Amino acid sequence: QVQLVESGGGLVQAGGSLRLSCGASGGTFSRYAMGWFRQAPGKEREFVAAITSSGGRTYYADSVKGRFAISRDNAKKTVYLQMNTLKPEDTAVYYCAADQGFGGLLLRPSPNQYDYWGQGTQVTVSS
């Protein structure tokens, strides 16, 4: 069983930056692909970014491409999401998730393909 805990959310003005962290315990972190998702009130959970188990490949939603960057430190069992040039429409609860399938080699955008989830951290961007 893998436990994931997100941190780093908060209130920021439009154009600002935040860095989210997601620490893992249990399981073998270095074998999982990791993803970030977000969910705004009244909306479905949507894909933001993913990274393979080694960190060698990444994948982003079009809405965040060029503004957000996902990275990981397997020694620290932590995945990060650097968010720059934030917009009010980025306001949501952000979740990290672990995908244990296929040795962590696939970058998958569907929430249904992830096995473990954190509790989420709120990001609010004011205009």
Side-chain angles (χ1 to χ4, degrees), residues 71-125:
S71 61
R72 66 190 295 161
D73 185 333
N74 285 347
K76 295 182 178 179
K77 297 184 178 181
T78 301
V79 61
Y80 305 97
L81 185 68
Q82 177 67 44
M83 305 186 295
N84 300 324
T85 319
L86 282 161
K87 304 175 181 180
E89 51 264 42
D90 294 319
T91 295
V93 178
Y94 282 71
Y95 299 89
C96 70
D99 175 4
Q100 63 181 359
F102 297 95
L105 297 178
L106 299 183
L107 297 169
R108 304 199 280 187
S110 172
N112 295 332
Q113 294 162 323
Y114 288 75
D115 303 289
Y116 304 104
W117 291 84
Q119 83 290 348
T121 186
Q122 176 70 47
V123 172
T124 302
V125 184

Side-chain angles (χ1 to χ4, degrees), residues 27-86:
T28 307
F29 180 77
S30 61
R31 294 182 181 176
Y32 305 136
M34 298 297 296
W36 284 97
F37 293 80
R38 66 187 181 187
Q39 188 166 18
K43 295 188 176 182
E44 293 186 352
R45 191 167 297 190
E46 66 171 358
F47 171 76
V48 175
I51 188 167
T52 53
S53 54
S54 69
R57 292 186 297 119
T58 57
Y59 176 48
Y60 297 93
D62 288 343
S63 59
V64 306
K65 200 173 296 182
R67 300 188 298 123
F68 290 12
I70 188 171
S71 61
R72 66 190 295 161
D73 185 333
N74 285 347
K76 295 182 178 179
K77 297 184 178 181
T78 301
V79 61
Y80 305 97
L81 185 68
Q82 177 67 44
M83 305 186 295
N84 300 324
T85 319
L86 282 161

